Amino acid sequence: KQTVLDDLKDAGKDVIGVGKIYDIFAGKGITETTANHGNKKNMEKVFELQKKDFNGLCYINLVDFDMKYGHRRDTLGYKNALEEFDAWLPKLYAQMTDEDILIVDADHGCDPTFKGTDHTREYIPILMYGKGLKQGTDLGTRPTFADIGKTVEEYLLGSCVDDEKAIGKSFLQDIM
């Protein structure tokens, strides 16, 4: 099925995947890819990409949170990975342009303190940063993860591709 990544690519936008993005989407809609090398190497690639002149989306998967710590219920490893990511944020922010938007979310809930190795949460966090965004906006509990995709699509294309079967609703008007 056509995805937002396909819509962006079809519109001539760059769709750069870092980490498992290419695998997750079976290569559909991706214009450039860097394979998964763990959180540290993937973030180094993002810092490198921030210096590149591209028009579109850089989509990164920090798989260590899920694969190494979440499913294995390694709370100390998860904590350390969060602290490491927190330490990268100032550099990430400093290299962002006035038009850039950073969206940090999870692909599913994986509480490292819960028993078992399966997914543990129905909802995911959505944290956003951008120089042009409203501060302190509470998006509430969204009905679907697809709302993020529709928001990205509206931001980068100026509107959402009109498809009555589309899943998700943009929240761009709530954050701009």
Side-chain angles (χ1 to χ4, degrees):
K1 183 174 179 179
Q2 183 87 354
T3 70
V4 169
L5 302 182
D6 295 312
D7 294 339
L8 294 172
K9 182 179 177 181
D10 291 350
K13 300 290 184 183
D14 297 304
V15 182
I16 304 168
V18 178
K20 287 179 47 177
I21 301 304
Y22 186 90
D23 297 331
I24 292 168
F25 291 95
K28 285 181 47 63
I30 307 294
T31 61
E32 181 181 332
T33 188
T34 299
N36 178 48
H37 297 290
N39 288 2
K40 185 175 190 297
K41 291 281 187 195
N42 290 354
M43 284 302 297
E44 288 171 2
K45 181 63 178 180
V46 169
F47 294 139
E48 178 185 316
L49 288 166
Q50 281 186 294
K51 296 173 185 170
K52 179 180 174 181
D53 185 23
F54 71 91
N55 182 11
L57 175 69
C58 177
Y59 196 170
I60 179 175
N61 180 278
L62 297 176
V63 70
D64 292 355
F65 286 110
D66 182 61
M67 183 180 74
K68 289 175 90 173
Y69 309 119
H71 284 294
R72 289 180 170 79
R73 304 303 187 241
D74 179 351
T75 54
L76 182 59
Y78 205 96
K79 172 196 131 347
N80 291 339
L82 282 171
E83 289 175 350
E84 186 174 45
F85 180 72
D86 284 347
W88 291 322
L89 286 174
K91 181 176 181 179
L92 195 65
Y93 294 157
Q95 291 185 186
M96 288 175 66
T97 69
D98 290 347
E99 294 81 32
D100 289 343
I101 295 177
L102 171 68
I103 302 173
V104 178
D105 63 80
D107 63 345
H108 54 72
C110 202
D111 182 344
T113 66
F114 199 78
K115 63 184 184 306
T117 58
D118 209 353
H119 303 151
T120 57
R121 298 283 186 256
E122 295 178 37
Y123 302 105
I124 58 150
I126 304 171
L127 304 171
M128 301 179 71
Y129 172 79
K131 295 173 185 171
L133 297 183
K134 293 179 190 173
Q135 292 187 18
T137 302
D138 182 352
L139 296 171
T141 301
R142 307 297 302 182
T144 175
F145 185 57
D147 289 356
I148 298 170
K150 282 298 179 187
T151 303
V152 168
E153 182 177 41
E154 182 178 9
Y155 184 68
L156 292 176
L157 297 181
S159 64
C160 296
V161 172
D162 193 15
D163 180 357
E164 60 191 45
K165 296 178 187 175
I167 300 170
K169 182 177 186 293
S170 172
F171 51 81
L172 187 64
Q173 70 282 351
D174 297 328
I175 61 172
M176 296 295 285

